[in-house]
Amino acid sequence: QVQLVESGGGLVQAGGSLRLSCTASERTFSTYTMGWFLQAPGKEREFVFGISWSSSTPIYADSVKGRFTISRDNAKNMVYLQLNSLKPEDTAVYYCAASPRRLTGVKRDYDYWGQGTQVTVSS
């Protein structure tokens, strides 16, 4: 099965930026979505961004539009989430995930999950 490992989280000041990385142990099918989710303390895990291995057009949640971007490097089996203009409310555990469906933002569609990486934004 696919193993996903996130990295790049940490503590930053409000207005700062981070780049999160997700490394897949193997290439998923081209139709798969590689997605990012976040889970804030006491909140439900929610969809942030998704991109397929064969498409450069991502899908995203309205809440992060204009501040976060997703990218990928097929040769390295990696996807990235660039977090800009961070706010304290962005504090959460960020998860990388993989879905067999193309460009889905539905949590239940994702079969594989990383362990998560903590992002903490100070005021």
Side-chain angles (χ1 to χ4, degrees), residues 45-106:
R45 192 173 300 184
E46 60 183 287
F47 174 77
V48 179
F49 256 106
I51 191 169
S52 76
W53 295 113
S54 59
S55 175
S56 61
T57 303
I59 56 173
Y60 47 83
D62 289 341
S63 61
V64 300
K65 188 186 304 180
R67 296 192 300 120
F68 296 179
T69 57
I70 194 170
S71 60
R72 56 172 168 80
D73 186 334
N74 289 18
K76 297 180 179 179
N77 290 340
M78 296 185 70
V79 294
Y80 308 93
L81 186 65
Q82 180 70 40
L83 313 178
N84 297 319
S85 301
L86 284 163
K87 305 173 182 179
E89 53 262 44
D90 296 322
T91 295
V93 177
Y94 287 72
Y95 295 89
C96 179
S99 169
R101 295 189 60 186
R102 183 178 178 86
L103 297 180
T104 177
V106 180

Side-chain angles (χ1 to χ4, degrees), residues 19 25 29 32-33 53 57 64 78 81 85 96 107-108 118-119:
R19 189 178 75 161
S25 62
F29 297 114
Y32 269 47
T33 302
W53 295 113
T57 303
V64 300
M78 296 185 70
L81 186 65
S85 301
C96 179
K107 183 170 60 178
R108 68 176 64 235
Q118 176 71 48
V119 172

